[in-house]
Amino acid sequence: MKENRIDQLNECLLTVSGILDELLETQQENPNLLNSIENWIKTHNSRIQLQRNKNNGIFIRSLDNQEIRDDALFIFDSSFHVICYSGTQNFFSDSKKTNENNLNLLDIIEEADQPKLKSLLAKAIETGCNKSMDLRIKTNINVLNNCTLELDMATSNPDNNTFVAKLNFSEMLATQLLEYQALILDSLPGMDIYLFDCNCNYLFAAGKEKERFELNNIQFIGRSIFNVLEKKAVRLIYPCVAKALQGVENEGEIRYKGEVYYMKGTPVKDYNNEIVCAILFAQNITSDKYLEEQLKKSREDALNSDRLKSIFIANISHEIRTPLNSIMGFTEQLEKIIVNAQQKKFVDLINKASDHLLYLVTEVVYLFKLGMGKVYLEKSPFSILDLLGELNDIFQKQASDKDLSFKVKHDESFPDVIIGDSFRLRQILMNLLVNAIKYTDKGGIMLICKVKLESKNHVDLVFEVKDTGIGISKHKIPHIFNVFEQGDKLNASFRGGAGLGLGISKNLVELLGGHISVSSKVKVGSTFKVQLPFDKASSCLHLPPKTIHYDLNKDAKLLSGKKMLLADDDEHNRILAENIFKNWNVDLNLAEDGQQAIDLLDKNKYDLALIDIHMPNKNGLEVIQHARSDNQSINYKTPIAFMTANAFKSDIVNYIKAGSDDYLIKPFREAELYNKLCNILAIEEPAINENILMVEMKNPEVLQRDNFSTTELWKTANGDRAFFEKMVNNFIAKAEGLISVFNKGTAKGNWKEVGELAHKSIPSFKYFNLFNIAASLDIIEENTLHNINYKLAGELVESTVLKVNEAINQAKKSLEANC
Ligand code: ADP
């Protein structure tokens, strides 16, 4: 670096000599001045010398390069007129000035510093001593630089009006900065920057990468891209430059000599928006590319491994579920025919063991799906009151088997229809309730449901499962939500636990955006609390149709006389099915594989077909597709349910899309099969043998479809008479209010109010089984708020008011009847 500076200094000295030449010419009238300066310097400063060239010009020359320490040296008179100067910087670069004879040191010194310099010179002359000061000097590009100026009185000759000042920059020179800039640009790792003129000649080249072309900067500048680069490189790079020169910013990747480059061409425009040149930016992204490819590969590997795991788990689950179907089915059949008490006990044990095995397979598969993020949440409207009723039915029975009490309670303000994932909610509550019953030996269990937070569109519900069971010790509580963790292993295994339920529940609750907690006291009981967010349902229009519960034990003949096809390659399952369907008096055809099923479907008309998915020759999916492919075929409209031991929802969705109407997951119990088939065939519902008042109705149509029923309410009330009455009276008041608003609204044309009330009232009419009225309310809402048709709405309001009056009468009678 130092050598560099010395070279530069010498270069500048040469420049100065040129200036001195001119000086010499213009100082013809006083040719002795320079002679005397020269002589004087000779005697006073051993380091520098004014030297004449052959044209009689002079320049400052250093005698000992090694000792040069100053960045600049000025010789000037007392008015600061510069006689000559040297330095790494051409301070008076302005050509006009350099040619003139009036270079003045003050011109390049910041204004504020000028008086200080003047007084410094006066002091130096007065004392004869060297004086120095810090000042700011302008460089040739008008950048102010901090520097130290020292008046060298030893070399100066005040008598001859000649002074010498040495200048040293405190900071880096702008030129040096530019040099560094160029150095930095040239050393950019993996990156090149080129500037091209409009003829594709290089104006500038920087960056390490260009070394790949075995060229240095100089070899680029001023040369055409076609002369500098080899053919292949031109083919790759030229289009990018050409596009930029046409004004199109462009980018892309190229591969050259085993390396990958990211290229970006950018047009450069002047003030008139004319393209003057193009910048080409090239970055070596070989290592990034490599990493990207590695990452892609790892991702693919991970996905493949996930896929393999998925297939493995699906297969294992399938392989266990298929024989389990036979075990459970035959055990049920056996149960019906044996009389011996001990044999009955054994059968009961097989039943329990297979239930447990099924639970384990289901939960392990579920856990696996959760871990792989393969549990997809649903968002659809459902009746939470229906769900609570269902849980009540299931756990009432289980609790009474253990002599425990069981109650479901909910706030009065508890909503009916909400939007969310009813299946997951059911699963979470089932897990907690199963545990509550499992870990409780006396007392009872309560499911308390409350509204926690409510906004215009959302509602947060809290479900508390309280039991009076064995409780959980404090130190175990933090672990019970971990999968395979059990509070008390002995106790848990004695009670048939696997350590999965709470782990799965916690995962599900969090997936749904809620949280779960527990408080417990040993030997007193536990309370599990789940808070979950739901959307409010604005309309009941989209509620899925209710499934009817057909009780096999009460009426096993509902399918009698139906003709059905069952296709299953598993011989045990066919034998089992034959036995079951014979008892139901169903005319059953059996197929051993997919092809047989297709042949039978082509030949015979069936009321229903049950098709297994995994079958040889043609699989179940192909059978379903065949049946749905020709709308002229005899079974085109026949309901088809598929059976599968594959509990993966993505597959199930595919089978449904293929045209099946419903499905059964193996293994299933006989009652489940019966219920499903009756539902698919929409068999007329058997009379409900419950404490319901049947009222004589005037209108037979209403009697048939709109039967005020308190079944749901009884389930929820669970024997609580006061609650029952409150709910029915509440319904009566609401229904009377509706009649009044409807009558006034239609008279005054206040349709908005009518429509809004119709919408609001639908859930409570549905709750009391008044589906006909609910459907009318739906249409009233539609025709008053959305697709306006007041005439139709008016007619419907009239007939609906009559029906609602009828319902009010029935409700009142139900109160009397249940006294
Ligand atoms: P398990 O199948 O063992 O019941 P869970 O994950 O459902 O697995 O529960 C984990 C542990 O938490 C259980 O082993 C038990 O010790 C404890 N536990 C869960 N619910 C209750 C409860 N209601 N009362 C007492 N202990 C419970």
Side-chain angles (χ1 to χ4, degrees):
M1 196 62 216
K2 189 160 186 184
E3 271 169 25
N4 214 2
R5 281 177 66 186
I6 292 165
D7 286 347
Q8 283 174 346
L9 189 57
N10 278 334
E11 242 175 67
C12 290
L13 287 173
L14 281 169
T15 322
V16 173
S17 76
I19 301 167
L20 287 174
D21 276 349
E22 303 224 0
L23 260 174
L24 208 61
E25 270 170 38
T26 52
Q27 301 223 348
Q28 289 302 331
E29 67 281 8
N30 191 3
N32 290 332
L33 174 66
L34 284 171
N35 287 343
S36 62
I37 294 172
E38 189 184 4
N39 289 333
W40 201 86
I41 287 176
K42 231 184 244 173
T43 52
H44 288 81
N45 194 321
S46 59
R47 286 197 293 120
I48 57 168
Q49 187 182 56
L50 287 189
Q51 212 175 42
R52 282 164 201 278
N53 61 21
K54 56 181 186 306
N55 302 326
N56 217 19
I58 61 165
F59 56 92
I60 305 172
R61 195 189 123 102
S62 71
L63 291 176
D64 177 5
N65 279 341
Q66 299 309 312
E67 288 202 11
I68 290 179
R69 276 161 293 150
D70 306 318
D71 289 326
L73 202 72
F74 293 91
I75 299 175
F76 56 97
D77 65 15
S78 57
S79 309
F80 295 95
H81 281 120
V82 176
I83 300 162
C84 58
Y85 79 96
S86 75
T88 52
Q89 171 101 10
N90 182 9
F91 295 97
F92 304 96
S93 64
D94 190 325
S95 57
K96 255 195 214 153
K97 278 189 179 167
T98 46
N99 291 336
E100 286 168 14
N101 186 24
N102 59 354
L103 307 181
N104 195 301
L105 190 56
L106 294 178
D107 284 348
I108 57 166
I109 286 170
E110 197 189 12
E111 252 168 63
D113 291 331
Q114 291 173 8
K116 289 183 207 160
L117 181 59
K118 283 179 188 166
S119 64
L120 190 79
L121 183 62
K123 259 191 198 152
I125 294 169
E126 191 188 315
T127 58
C129 296
N130 286 4
K131 292 281 170 203
S132 66
M133 71 175 284
D134 290 338
L135 49 71
R136 302 225 286 169
I137 196 157
K138 286 179 210 160
T139 67
N140 59 345
I141 52 166
N142 262 341
V143 174
L144 282 174
N145 275 269
N146 291 330
C147 56
T148 307
L149 183 138
E150 188 186 356
L151 293 168
D152 180 356
M153 295 313 284
T155 316
S156 300
N157 183 0
D159 297 339
N160 203 12
N161 194 19
T162 313
F163 299 93
V164 176
K166 297 185 255 175
L167 192 85
N168 281 296
F169 289 97
S170 336
E171 289 169 359
M172 216 174 277
L173 272 173
T175 45
Q176 278 176 301
L177 278 176
L178 285 173
E179 248 176 57
Y180 284 125
Q181 229 172 51
L183 261 174
I184 291 168
L185 279 174
D186 236 8
S187 316
L188 286 177
M191 211 182 276
D192 278 355
I193 299 166
Y194 303 99
L195 208 61
F196 289 92
D197 69 12
C198 293
N199 297 318
C200 276
N201 296 321
Y202 285 92
L203 291 173
F204 175 81
K208 267 233 156 311
E209 277 302 311
K210 65 184 179 316
E211 283 169 15
R212 279 181 204 287
F213 303 115
E214 286 154 18
L215 296 167
N216 59 37
N217 279 355
I218 305 300
Q219 287 167 300
F220 278 92
I221 313 299
R223 294 177 65 195
S224 158
I225 191 171
F226 302 102
N227 297 333
V228 173
L229 304 180
E230 57 150 331
K231 253 191 194 161
K232 184 178 175 200
V234 170
R235 195 157 41 77
L236 294 170
I237 298 170
Y238 172 71
C240 188
V241 179
K243 259 193 197 161
L245 285 171
Q246 285 159 15
V248 184
E249 189 170 86
N250 64 97
E251 59 186 343
E253 281 176 23
I254 62 162
R255 278 172 196 269
Y256 182 67
K257 291 197 173 169
E259 306 284 317
V260 188
Y261 296 89
Y262 162 77
M263 312 269 292
K264 180 163 184 163
T266 311
V268 180
K269 295 179 180 172
D270 64 9
Y271 290 115
N272 299 321
N273 217 17
E274 300 278 334
I275 294 163
V276 285
C277 57
I279 298 175
L280 178 72
F281 173 82
Q283 187 178 9
N284 190 329
I285 51 165
T286 314
S287 55
D288 294 0
K289 269 269 141 189
Y290 175 74
L291 276 178
E292 194 183 304
E293 266 156 32
Q294 287 296 99
L295 223 69
K296 215 165 123 191
K297 194 173 166 303
S298 314
R299 197 173 164 268
E300 265 164 24
D301 286 352
L303 282 176
N304 264 341
S305 126
D306 264 10
R307 237 190 320 271
L308 288 178
K309 270 193 250 166
S310 254
I311 294 169
F312 174 74
I313 291 285
N315 283 344
I316 287 281
S317 141
H318 184 266
E319 293 311 306
I320 298 175
R321 280 167 177 271
T322 306
L324 204 53
N325 200 45
S326 310
I327 296 172
M328 286 166 70
F330 284 117
T331 315
E332 275 186 312
Q333 302 310 306
L334 208 60
E335 211 173 8
K336 286 184 205 161
I337 50 175
I338 53 174
V339 282
N340 179 306
Q342 195 175 21
Q343 285 171 345
K344 262 205 179 319
K345 199 176 158 198
F346 290 160
V347 167
D348 193 39
L349 286 175
I350 299 174
N351 257 331
K352 283 196 173 124
S354 32
D355 273 345
H356 187 62
L357 186 55
L358 174 61
Y359 166 80
L360 275 184
V361 176
T362 312
E363 295 298 272
V364 166
V365 169
Y366 204 76
L367 192 70
F368 165 78
K369 288 200 257 180
L370 268 171
M372 291 204 0
K374 280 193 183 279
V375 170
Y376 305 105
L377 299 179
E378 296 236 335
K379 241 187 176 193
S380 44
F382 68 97
S383 162
I384 188 142
L385 296 180
D386 277 0
L387 176 65
L388 295 181
E390 231 181 273
L391 293 175
N392 187 53
D393 285 353
I394 298 168
F395 290 98
Q396 201 67 255
K397 160 105 179 51
Q398 292 196 12
S400 77
D401 285 351
K402 274 186 89 175
D403 267 342
L404 300 170
S405 68
F406 182 78
K407 250 190 180 165
V408 178
K409 280 189 172 180
H410 59 74
D411 279 356
E412 228 179 274
S413 59
F414 207 69
D416 181 4
V417 180
I418 51 172
I419 298 171
D421 194 326
S422 61
F423 183 75
R424 311 292 164 205
L425 173 64
R426 189 175 193 275
Q427 199 176 1
I428 295 163
L429 295 179
M430 289 271 288
N431 279 346
L432 298 181
L433 290 168
V434 163
N435 276 352
I437 290 194
K438 188 161 59 175
Y439 295 105
T440 304
D441 299 322
K442 57 176 189 297
I445 287 104
M446 256 206 278
L447 169 61
I448 304 164
C449 313
K450 296 176 193 163
V451 174
K452 173 85 182 173
L453 285 172
E454 197 169 357
S455 65
K456 191 167 166 258
N457 299 320
H458 307 282
V459 60
D460 267 26
L461 303 180
V462 168
F463 304 88
E464 283 177 19
V465 177
K466 266 183 194 296
D467 66 52
T468 53
I470 60 169
I472 310 159
S473 62
K474 244 187 191 163
H475 70 282
K476 293 282 182 197
I477 285 186
H479 308 290
I480 56 166
F481 290 106
N482 297 340
V483 173
F484 295 118
E485 286 272 356
Q486 295 178 316
D488 173 349
K489 282 214 163 26
L490 248 179
N491 212 336
S493 62
F494 145 75
R495 287 167 194 269
L500 291 170
L502 286 184
I504 288 177
S505 299
K506 185 169 191 284
N507 269 299
L508 279 177
V509 168
E510 284 168 5
L511 206 63
L512 291 165
H515 51 88
I516 184 167
S517 58
V518 61
S519 59
S520 184
K521 217 169 183 187
V522 174
K523 291 189 186 156
V524 176
S526 313
T527 302
F528 284 84
K529 196 168 162 183
V530 172
Q531 184 171 337
L532 288 170
F534 293 94
D535 288 344
K536 282 183 172 173
S538 56
S539 164
C540 311
L541 260 179
H542 309 296
L543 259 193
K546 273 191 174 183
T547 48
I548 300 166
H549 181 70
Y550 296 88
D551 195 340
L552 176 63
N553 296 324
K554 287 185 183 142
D555 196 349
K557 296 287 173 215
L558 294 173
L559 296 174
S560 176
K562 301 280 181 204
K563 189 172 175 69
M564 295 191 195
L565 168 72
L566 184 137
D568 196 328
D569 61 322
D570 187 304
E571 195 194 351
H572 298 141
N573 283 341
R574 288 200 307 275
I575 298 172
L576 181 64
E578 217 168 4
N579 196 40
I580 294 173
F581 282 78
K582 196 167 81 198
N583 289 341
W584 298 344
N585 203 21
V586 168
D587 175 9
L588 184 70
N589 284 175
L590 288 166
E592 289 175 22
D593 61 28
Q595 190 52 56
Q596 272 191 19
I598 287 175
D599 295 344
L600 284 166
L601 280 168
D602 286 345
K603 248 189 260 150
N604 311 305
K605 165 90 182 91
Y606 293 102
D607 293 308
L608 194 146
L610 259 174
I611 312 288
D612 186 41
I613 290 292
H614 289 266
M615 286 189 295
N617 295 328
K618 291 262 158 61
N619 66 32
L621 197 62
E622 289 167 295
V623 177
I624 298 167
Q625 282 163 346
H626 174 84
R628 298 296 185 237
S629 63
D630 176 9
N631 61 8
Q632 298 302 313
S633 67
I634 38 175
N635 287 299
Y636 181 69
K637 286 193 171 159
T638 300
I640 301 178
F642 65 85
M643 299 179 287
T644 178
N646 176 356
F648 277 67
K649 192 164 183 184
S650 48
D651 296 332
I652 289 171
V653 169
N654 282 338
Y655 307 147
I656 298 259
K657 274 189 194 158
S660 57
D661 299 82
D662 215 323
Y663 63 93
L664 274 151
I665 305 281
K666 287 179 184 174
F668 42 81
R669 294 251 175 230
E670 188 181 337
E672 202 185 328
L673 175 66
Y674 183 76
N675 190 38
K676 180 68 82 178
L677 299 184
C678 289
N679 262 297
I680 295 174
L681 290 172
I683 302 278
E684 199 151 306
E685 201 177 350
I688 306 163
N689 183 16
E690 290 205 43
N691 191 10
I692 307 165
L693 179 76
M694 296 294 285
V695 186
E696 213 184 89
M697 306 276 294
K698 285 176 201 141
N699 183 340
E701 192 192 313
V702 174
L703 177 67
Q704 208 181 39
R705 303 236 226 111
D706 253 0
N707 197 5
F708 179 84
S709 158
T710 50
T711 317
E712 288 297 318
L713 182 58
W714 271 119
K715 281 183 203 160
T716 321
N718 197 19
D720 186 341
R721 173 78 202 167
F723 174 75
F724 174 86
E725 279 180 12
K726 198 170 167 188
M727 290 298 281
V728 175
N729 279 324
N730 194 7
F731 167 77
I732 294 170
K734 273 190 186 166
E736 284 172 347
L738 179 125
I739 291 176
S740 150
V741 171
F742 271 21
N743 286 338
K744 279 187 207 152
T746 38
K748 290 185 182 169
N750 201 349
W751 293 110
K752 191 163 176 275
E753 202 184 349
V754 169
E756 280 169 356
L757 186 63
H759 168 75
K760 235 168 77 185
S761 312
I762 294 171
S764 60
F765 280 92
K766 281 192 173 174
Y767 186 65
F768 287 98
N769 201 43
L770 298 162
F771 286 93
N772 201 340
I773 296 180
S776 304
L777 293 174
D778 232 343
I779 304 170
I780 292 171
E781 180 201 342
E782 180 68 18
N783 288 285
T784 48
L785 299 182
H786 311 297
N787 295 320
I788 308 295
N789 184 344
Y790 295 138
K791 188 170 175 286
L792 176 64
E795 287 164 12
L796 262 170
V797 163
E798 218 173 285
S799 62
T800 308
V801 164
L802 287 176
K803 288 184 208 163
V804 174
N805 255 324
E806 206 59 65
I808 292 171
N809 287 337
Q810 291 174 38
K812 285 181 180 165
K813 282 191 182 155
S814 82
L815 286 175
E816 291 158 21
N818 286 293
C819 274

